[in-house]
Amino acid sequence: MNNNDNKEIRSYPEPVEALIVVLASFFFLILMVVAVGAISGAKEPVEMIENSRSIYIFGGLVFLVVPLIYARIRKFDIVQVFRLKPVPAQIIYLSVVNAIGLTIIGDELDRIVQLIVPTPEWLTEMLKPLRVQSGAEWLQVLLGAVLIAAVAEEFLFRGFLQISLEKKGDVTRAVLLTSIAWTLIHQNPYWAIQIFVIGVLIGFVAWRTDSVFPAIVIHGIYNLIGVVLVNIDITEKFSFYEWKGHVNPLIVLFGLTLLVGTIRMMNRFYSK
């Protein structure tokens, strides 16, 4: 093993290290939610969320701060360890289109899963902090649940964790294990399939582009559309979107075309 190999190994955390950092981040997030809930006098989980909207929305910052501190302590190259490689504008455009297709497919997948495992009422209640009534609340939710959540989670998972797994083994396994970890962190068995599938697709894009920025764009737009849908009735605004309780098959086909087409274009771009 030469000096370059040693330098390569020291540039990234070991997979076990990365996993410990992920667990530590999750622990601090839960601690923040419980602490604020206790201070506000909340007794039930739903009350904790309702009485700590800021923590629920901005708590994602923990996923960014903890790995950053760890990377600094270990003297890792921040650009390398979080995969902060710039990408051409064309890739960002493709990521935006990819996110639209992924959102459509994700919506239909969610409807199919709910036929088998219906979402309980308490889970719907957990989304209350995302329902907004004023411009200030919109700003808070968009900043926290869209921008901060996308940046922090992609830094931690598709950047920090996935790249550590890629450096130690097969890329496919790295993407799958990262998606499993991302799914478990969400603690939502009713949406586990959807979260995992989305994680795999975003993980593939992060690996193919060797950058976390397209993943942030896809994740952010997916969350943005999700927040909008929590606050409006899409079937009332756009009746053509739904068909017999499912997404209109033509729209599903359109979404699938966008998803597959953008992935193929990215592959072609990076195969040159």
Side-chain angles (χ1 to χ4, degrees), residues 225-256:
I225 297 174
V227 168
V228 171
L229 293 181
V230 166
N231 287 278
I232 69 168
D233 184 352
I234 191 171
T235 58
E236 180 180 331
K237 300 287 184 180
F238 308 99
S239 58
F240 62 87
Y241 180 81
E242 190 174 274
W243 181 76
K244 296 184 177 180
H246 291 271
V247 178
N248 188 312
L250 292 178
I251 295 179
V252 171
L253 180 61
F254 174 69
L256 189 60

Side-chain angles (χ1 to χ4, degrees), residues 186-204:
H186 280 81
Q187 301 182 87
N188 190 336
Y190 298 95
W191 294 346
I193 294 176
Q194 302 92 302
I195 294 171
F196 175 75
V197 171
I198 292 167
V200 169
L201 290 169
I202 295 178
F204 171 81

